């Protein structure tokens, strides 16, 4: 398949329903991480361009809020259908600019499009309540209304799904928005903007700005009184800075931040299923996911069996360009990402960890790293505290349930945890004890549009997806009616 998808994407800024160049005609290059070649050059927005996008969103807010819920729902439903029809195009686009294997990119289209279908169904279910005051003299009416113009900052690792997960509920709730995708992977969001326009979403409701200066362009918008909500998916350090900036206008804020997911294999686990789950939890998206299993805790009685089977499965994976048939592991996003993974691996081995399989970057063009399994990873290794964000799995052992729970919780992060057991009581006990916003029991993937995605502690706050997802874009108003 040739690099045709990228050439079909409009590369200007999408503001107020129109495609326009960035101020001064500035552009930024988008690279294919598998070949290091330039895929396209997109508009590089300035502070003035960002302000124009927010102006467009603010101007469109009142009319969009008045749009009938059924009309908003139908637009989202049509967007879901078009995404499904164009799955091959969007999958190819994501593989080209992000690197994930084509089959996995197609899976993201299925996952990402489902947020549009889910929130199409939720749009018509926004409701309030009617009640009588305790003294009987007043009637209490509670209603839901859109928050208002939203600022959305999306990451590079899931270029489609992290957009639809925010855009879907905002459209359903009646909010307008300015979306700023990652500079590494802007093409998918630009293509999505064109699709949303095609289904009839009015001008100014969705605005997309691409820029090489995310902080410089977005900070003035965050501090602008016309913005009413900020939602961000990305690193905890950046999230902290954004929360500080949002305090000036007291914005409604949703933060989906970093993770340090534990993956626990108890002595009574089905080892084959645990290995299967580990492959999903570790290698989904080449390990470049905030939900990726980062610390493997395996009971010492089954550690040898699990490590052997896990390493064998990892060694069977095929590394290469995600556009090629049979490839199961694509490139990391940049050379810096490869260096970061290598640094964490070197630190672990210097402290006594043993490489069972992999352990090296792949020479030549592209940012590839071999799937790697390490055993005997000490608790003070950096990879036990920092997100690896790559195809490297470090295994530690344990003997006691209370001890492993304490070790799993001994992190500032709290996005997701995984564990495998065949003991029903333990499944409940450990699920309640793990200090995470999401827990996978005997499964290696927790993401589901019908479930509330989000973390606790330094992994952020707010929820995306599920019944809870639309609430992030709604304010509650109470009206008292005297008799």
């Amino acid at each position: 398949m040739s690099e045709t998808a990228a050439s079909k994407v409009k590369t200007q800024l999408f503001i107020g329903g129109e495609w326009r160049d960035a101020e001064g005609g500035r552009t930024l290059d988008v690279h294919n991480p598998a070949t290091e070649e330039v895929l396209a050059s997109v508009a590089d927005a300035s502070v003035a361009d960002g302000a124009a996008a927010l102006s467009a969103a603010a101007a469109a807010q009142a009319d969009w809020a008045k749009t009938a819920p059924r009309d908003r729902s139908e637009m989202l439903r049509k967007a879901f259908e078009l995404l499904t029809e164009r799955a091959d195009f969007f999958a190819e686009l994501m593989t080209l600019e992000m690197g994930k294997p084509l089959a996995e990119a197609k899976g993201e289209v299925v996952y990402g499009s489902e947020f549009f279908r889910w929130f199409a169904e939720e749009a018509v279910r926004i409701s309030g309540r009617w009640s009588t005051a305790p003294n009987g003299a007043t009637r209490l009416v509670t209603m839901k209304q859109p928050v208002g113009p939203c600022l959305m900052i999306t990451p590079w690792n899931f270029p489609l799904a992290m957009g639809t997960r925010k855009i879907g509920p905002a459209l359903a709730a009646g909010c307008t928005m300015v979306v700023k995708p990652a500079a590494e992977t802007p093409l998918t969001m630009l293509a999505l903007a064109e699709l949303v326009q095609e289904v009839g979403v009015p001008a100014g409701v969705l605005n997309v700005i691409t820029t090489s200066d995310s902080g410089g362009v977005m900070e003035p918008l965050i501090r602008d009184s016309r913005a009413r909500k900020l939602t961000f998916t990305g690193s905890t350090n950046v999230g902290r800075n954004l929360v500080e900036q949002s305090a000036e206008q007291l914005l409604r804020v949703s933060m989906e931040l970093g993770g340090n997911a534990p993956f626990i294999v108890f002595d009574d686990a089905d080892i084959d299923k645990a290995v299967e789950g580990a492959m999903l939890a570790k290698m989904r998206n080449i390990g470049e996911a905030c939900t990726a299993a980062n610390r493997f805790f395996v009971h010492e009685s089954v550690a040898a069996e699990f490590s052997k089977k896990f390493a064998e499965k990892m060694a069977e994976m095929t590394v290469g360009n995600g556009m090629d048939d049979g490839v199961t592991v694509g490139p990391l996003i940049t050379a810096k990402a490869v260096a970061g993974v290598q640094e964490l691996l070197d630190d672990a081995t210097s402290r006594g960890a043993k490489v069972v399989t992999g352990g090296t970057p792949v020479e030549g063009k592209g940012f590839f790293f071999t799937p790697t399994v390490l055993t005997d990873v000490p608790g003070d290794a950096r990879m036990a505290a920092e997100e690896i964000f790559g195809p490297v799995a470090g295994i530690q052992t344990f003997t006691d349930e209370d001890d492993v729970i304490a070790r799993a919780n001994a992190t500032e992060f709290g996005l997701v945890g995984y564990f495998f057991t065949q003991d029903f009581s333990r499944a409940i006990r450990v699920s309640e004890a793990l200090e995470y916003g999401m827990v996978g029991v005997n499964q290696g993937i927790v993401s589901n549009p019908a479930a509330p995605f989000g973390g606790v502690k330094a992994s952020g706050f707010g929820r995306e997806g599920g019944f809870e997802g639309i609430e992030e874009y709604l304010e509650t108003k109470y009206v008292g009616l005297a008799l």
Side-chain angles (χ1 to χ4, degrees):
M1 189 178 292
S2 61
E3 296 185 3
T4 57
S7 65
K8 296 177 181 178
V9 178
K10 292 182 178 179
T11 56
Q12 296 169 292
L13 308 177
F14 184 61
I15 298 175
E18 298 179 349
W19 295 92
R20 53 188 265 186
D21 292 335
E23 183 182 44
R26 297 189 313 168
T27 61
L28 66 94
D29 290 339
V30 182
H31 295 84
N32 182 335
T35 65
E36 303 183 44
E37 297 173 351
V38 174
L39 284 171
S41 295
V42 302
D44 190 359
S46 67
V47 172
D49 293 321
L54 181 55
S55 293
Q61 178 58 55
D63 286 343
W64 182 242
K66 294 174 185 175
T67 303
R70 177 60 68 193
D71 292 342
R72 299 198 299 266
S73 172
E74 288 303 316
M75 291 177 202
L76 281 166
R77 178 71 191 195
K78 289 176 184 175
F80 160 76
E81 292 171 350
L82 276 185
L83 261 179
T84 301
E85 290 174 13
R86 300 173 187 175
D88 289 346
F89 168 77
F90 276 93
E92 180 183 347
L93 194 55
M94 282 190 282
T95 295
L96 289 173
E97 67 174 346
M98 183 269 160
K100 68 184 71 183
L102 193 57
E104 194 165 352
K106 289 179 180 179
E108 182 175 342
V109 177
V110 173
Y111 171 58
S113 64
E114 191 63 32
F115 285 104
F116 280 170
R117 178 159 66 171
W118 175 265
F119 287 109
E121 295 163 348
E122 291 300 293
V124 295
R125 297 192 176 94
I126 299 170
S127 61
R129 68 178 186 271
W130 169 281
S131 61
T132 301
N135 64 6
T138 305
R139 298 300 178 263
L140 313 178
V141 179
T142 303
M143 64 183 72
K144 299 286 187 177
Q145 293 182 315
V147 169
C150 303
L151 304 175
M152 302 177 172
I153 305 175
T154 60
W156 51 262
N157 56 343
F158 291 94
L160 178 70
M162 297 303 96
T164 58
R165 198 162 76 177
K166 299 178 189 298
I167 294 168
L171 290 177
C175 296
T176 61
M177 67 213 77
V178 176
V179 183
K180 201 291 296 178
E184 295 87 351
T185 58
L187 299 176
T188 301
M189 183 58 67
L190 292 169
L192 183 63
E194 188 173 4
L195 182 149
V196 169
Q197 182 183 38
E198 189 176 338
V199 301
V201 173
V205 174
L206 171 66
N207 306 275
V208 177
I209 55 173
T210 53
T211 180
S212 60
D213 183 17
S214 180
V217 171
M218 295 305 294
E219 182 172 354
L221 305 188
I222 294 169
R223 297 185 186 278
D224 191 309
S225 62
R226 296 173 297 175
R228 296 313 315 142
K229 178 176 173 64
L230 169 65
T231 174
F232 169 72
T233 298
S235 73
T236 294
N237 287 339
V238 173
R240 286 189 171 111
N241 290 334
L242 294 175
V243 170
E244 289 180 5
Q245 294 170 18
S246 73
E248 182 174 321
Q249 297 298 334
L250 296 177
L251 298 184
R252 281 280 295 274
V253 179
S254 301
M255 291 279 142
E256 195 270 281
L257 307 177
N260 188 11
F263 188 103
I264 305 170
V265 182
F266 286 101
D267 54 348
D268 64 343
D270 181 317
I271 299 303
D272 290 335
K273 288 184 178 179
V275 169
E276 180 182 344
M279 292 298 296
L280 291 171
K282 178 71 261 182
M283 294 305 295
R284 179 187 181 217
N285 217 52
I286 323 167
E288 295 176 311
C290 55
T291 54
N294 211 61
R295 297 169 294 152
F296 287 81
F297 299 103
V298 184
H299 194 277
E300 66 175 17
S301 66
V302 295
E305 180 185 0
F306 175 85
S307 300
K308 179 177 181 294
K309 290 182 175 181
F310 186 26
E312 288 173 350
K313 288 289 187 182
M314 290 281 272
E316 291 172 0
M317 302 193 81
T318 301
V319 179
N321 189 323
M323 296 297 294
D324 295 340
D325 292 340
V327 168
T328 52
V329 183
L332 298 184
I333 191 67
T334 60
K336 182 180 178 181
V338 174
V341 170
Q342 185 69 62
E343 191 175 303
L344 292 177
L345 192 152
D346 290 344
D347 171 78
T349 54
S350 72
R351 298 172 189 270
K354 299 179 179 63
V355 176
V356 182
T357 188
T360 59
V362 178
E363 294 184 1
K365 284 286 187 180
F367 311 124
F368 299 96
F369 205 97
T370 54
T372 301
V373 174
L374 300 93
T375 58
D376 300 328
V377 175
D380 63 352
R382 284 178 54 195
M383 69 168 55
E386 303 174 27
E387 273 191 298
I388 299 170
F389 241 64
V392 175
I395 298 174
Q396 306 176 48
T397 60
F398 72 94
T399 58
D400 178 74
E401 180 181 307
D402 290 337
D403 172 65
V404 77
I405 290 172
R407 289 163 65 186
N409 289 338
T411 173
E412 67 171 332
F413 300 103
L415 185 61
V416 61
Y418 308 91
F419 68 92
F420 279 71
T421 181
Q422 297 185 81
D423 183 324
F424 181 74
S425 294
R426 171 178 277 160
I428 297 174
R429 192 167 60 242
V430 175
S431 294
E432 293 177 348
L434 288 174
E435 297 170 356
Y436 292 84
M438 302 175 289
V439 177
V441 183
N442 295 328
Q443 61 180 38
I445 292 181
V446 295
S447 301
N448 191 310
F453 187 104
V456 298
K457 301 193 291 187
S459 291
F461 42 80
R463 294 295 180 267
E464 295 184 320
F467 300 117
E468 296 82 356
I470 199 168
E471 293 295 328
E472 300 288 338
Y473 297 87
L474 294 169
E475 295 283 17
T476 300
K477 177 183 284 187
Y478 142 66
V479 178
L481 302 174
L483 298 182

